[in-house]
Amino acid sequence: MLKSAGFGKNANFSGGIGEEQFASFQRQALADEMVKAGGLGLADAFYQSMMEASYDK
């Protein structure tokens, strides 16, 4: 998800090609910390949206 959002794509730490090669590690570390913090709350939002859509029919 973070890669698709473009996170780490242009960090500009003046690391050149090495920076690009290690961007996946940075994204993974951030994702791990997000999970430890309880996530983004998207599951509840998706569930509520699906429940509302099923009641509309």
Side-chain angles (χ1 to χ4, degrees), residues 31-49:
D32 292 342
E33 292 302 315
M34 290 169 70
V35 168
K36 286 180 189 176
L40 300 175
L42 293 176
D44 290 332
F46 290 147
Y47 177 76
Q48 291 299 326
S49 178

Side-chain angles (χ1 to χ4, degrees), residues 9-57:
K9 191 171 188 176
N10 295 319
N12 294 327
F13 292 117
S14 300
I17 189 72
E19 183 178 332
E20 292 177 21
Q21 292 174 339
F22 287 98
S24 65
F25 293 111
Q26 181 186 24
R27 283 191 299 267
Q28 185 61 50
L30 179 60
D32 292 342
E33 292 302 315
M34 290 169 70
V35 168
K36 286 180 189 176
L40 300 175
L42 293 176
D44 290 332
F46 290 147
Y47 177 76
Q48 291 299 326
S49 178
M50 291 185 332
M51 293 304 291
E52 291 172 8
S54 68
Y55 286 122
D56 290 342
K57 293 182 179 186

